[in-house]
Amino acid sequence: MVNYAPERVVHIGAFSKCLAPGLRVGYVHAPEKLYQQLLVTLQTHSWMISPLLTALTCEMLTSGDAERNLALIHKEMKARIDITTQALDGFELNYQTGGFHVWLTLPENWRLSEFVSRAQDMGIIVKSGELFAPPGGSVAPAVRLSLSSPQTIEQLHIGVDKLKALLLSNTVNEFTL
């Protein structure tokens, strides 16, 4: 958006979201007419950011380490998305290239809460789409799979294989009134 309307868009980001989770340094790119007002607002609401983290971030940016790390992260996430899409082939998946998660739309025979609960019983934590919906908004029966959570590729393989088995299992429940 900032490329289409730079005079009207404020771009806010954080290195913890793209480079390293513990790197609590953010940035703001604002139109000149808003710069002074944003500066005053930030100074009133923030005491100070960590000088050590700021120096580390600046060093990573100027040395090229940030770009090299981002390339490694993108390569790893592409591999994890490929593993997930291959393992869950035939199921409806939505993701963004280079992203850290995949949305899995559940087959019609699954209730969202039941799937989340059964996955948790198997040691797999998935996030219900309800957690990401605005209040009162309708929610597709989908779960978010965080592909950056498993520490190893092997753990990811085990997790998606378990999810596939769960998705294929019989979920028809009989209710007695």
Side-chain angles (χ1 to χ4, degrees):
M1 288 174 43
V2 76
N3 291 333
Y4 292 114
E7 72 287 349
R8 295 181 10 200
V9 175
V10 176
H11 178 81
I12 302 171
F15 293 102
S16 64
K17 296 294 182 189
C18 63
L19 194 57
L23 200 55
R24 301 287 183 203
V25 176
Y27 55 89
V28 176
H29 179 307
E32 275 191 56
K33 65 181 179 183
L34 297 177
Y35 180 80
Q36 193 59 41
Q37 184 180 354
L38 277 169
L39 181 63
V40 170
T41 302
L42 285 172
Q43 288 174 337
T44 352
H45 293 300
S46 301
W47 283 95
M48 180 177 166
I49 59 173
S50 165
L52 181 59
L53 289 180
T54 303
L56 176 63
T57 303
C58 289
E59 176 61 28
M60 289 178 76
L61 291 170
T62 57
S63 71
D65 285 342
E67 283 186 45
R68 285 187 287 280
N69 285 345
L70 282 174
L72 290 172
I73 291 168
H74 286 207
K75 182 179 177 183
E76 177 74 12
M77 293 315 301
K78 182 186 179 325
R80 288 173 179 245
I81 286 174
D82 290 347
I83 289 165
T84 303
T85 56
Q86 288 170 14
L88 299 178
D89 186 36
F91 295 97
E92 185 180 338
L93 300 172
N94 294 297
Y95 59 92
Q96 185 175 10
T97 304
F100 292 89
H101 62 269
V102 169
W103 284 96
L104 166 65
T105 301
L106 299 179
E108 289 182 15
N109 60 324
W110 275 104
R111 287 187 315 180
L112 188 52
S113 60
E114 177 75 13
F115 185 84
V116 171
S117 176
R118 296 264 309 269
Q120 186 172 354
D121 291 344
M122 298 172 75
I124 301 170
I125 306 300
V126 295
K127 297 294 183 182
S128 167
E130 294 171 335
L131 297 172
F132 303 94
S138 66
V139 179
V143 292
R144 188 176 89 160
L145 311 177
S146 174
L147 303 186
S148 60
S149 292
Q151 297 215 354
T152 65
I153 292 291
E154 292 75 24
Q155 288 177 341
L156 178 65
H157 274 290
I158 292 167
V160 293
D161 287 346
K162 285 182 179 182
L163 282 177
K164 182 175 185 174
L166 180 58
L167 286 161
L168 295 172
S169 69
N170 184 6
T171 61
V172 177
N173 293 319
E174 291 185 25
F175 295 95
T176 332
L177 297 175

